[in-house]
Amino acid sequence: MKSIKVLFVVAFLAIVGIAQAQTLPAVTLKDINGKTVQTDKLSNDGKPFIISFFATWCKPCNRELSAISEVYADWQDETGVKLIAVSIDQAQNINKVKPLVDSNGWEYDVLLDPNSDFKRALGIQMIPYVIIVDGNGNIVYKHNGYTDGAEKELIEKVRELIK
């Protein structure tokens, strides 16, 4: 009987552990203007936000960020969502990030992760990689790769969060 109770408690704790939402890890990064940012403090005033991992050399990443850019103002008006783009370009290429952002007219907050510390802390293997964080700071959606039109799924997930 005692072993059944122990088994039940272990199973219950495992289920509770699985149910707990993943939050952003604490990593110190800089934005493209050199300001220090703590990743576990990222927020959007209680509204959802999107984090998109990219690199200047990653064509699918750039297509995704450009596609989102075309509808970003509408998304913000409708949902209040914010996008934070995180470059994983290594230190020798970091000087290419701001010109790429500026030339594309991307209105995103851009963070630099030259050692891939944030990417690694989230267990991300490949880019492009997008996560959605709800208004409470919980990671509620993850997506790897990009195909044309995938941004529509992103905004649908955001809409579900604000209902």
Side-chain angles (χ1 to χ4, degrees):
M1 185 68 163
K2 188 175 182 178
S3 62
I4 292 173
K5 285 182 182 176
V6 169
L7 208 60
F8 177 76
V9 169
V10 169
F12 176 76
L13 291 174
I15 291 167
V16 170
I18 291 168
Q20 287 181 337
Q22 182 184 3
T23 57
L24 294 173
V27 177
T28 303
L29 301 179
K30 293 203 181 291
D31 69 12
I32 56 174
N33 300 312
K35 180 182 167 206
T36 300
V37 175
Q38 282 298 125
T39 58
D40 60 329
K41 305 282 190 253
L42 294 172
S43 69
N44 186 23
D45 297 322
K47 292 179 245 151
F49 60 97
I50 300 165
I51 300 176
S52 177
F53 287 83
F54 79 104
T56 56
W57 47 263
C58 172
K59 301 244 184 286
C61 302
N62 296 326
R63 281 199 338 264
E64 179 173 52
L65 289 171
S66 292
I68 292 170
S69 181
E70 292 175 15
V71 293
Y72 189 53
D74 293 336
W75 285 12
Q76 288 185 301
D77 289 345
E78 178 188 347
T79 67
V81 72
K82 166 170 85 170
L83 188 137
I84 300 166
V86 179
S87 166
I88 62 156
D89 284 274
Q90 295 178 342
Q92 67 266 28
N93 291 325
I94 215 89
N95 61 337
K96 296 177 181 177
V97 176
K98 190 166 177 18
L100 176 74
V101 170
D102 292 345
S103 70
N104 282 294
W106 294 342
E107 298 290 324
Y108 314 130
D109 293 344
V110 179
L111 303 179
L112 306 173
D113 189 16
N115 299 317
S116 291
D117 295 333
F118 189 36
K119 175 181 164 255
R120 198 169 26 263
L122 284 163
I124 297 169
Q125 300 295 314
M126 297 177 61
I127 58 170
Y129 198 93
V130 175
I131 64 176
I132 298 176
V133 181
D134 70 13
N136 298 315
N138 301 310
I139 297 170
V140 295
Y141 177 80
K142 301 175 184 181
H143 182 77
N144 181 238
Y146 176 72
T147 54
D148 292 338
E151 64 279 0
K152 293 175 182 133
E153 184 177 342
L154 270 183
I155 192 58
E156 286 305 317
K157 297 290 182 191
V158 170
R159 286 177 180 135
E160 289 171 13
L161 293 172
I162 62 168
K163 286 182 180 177

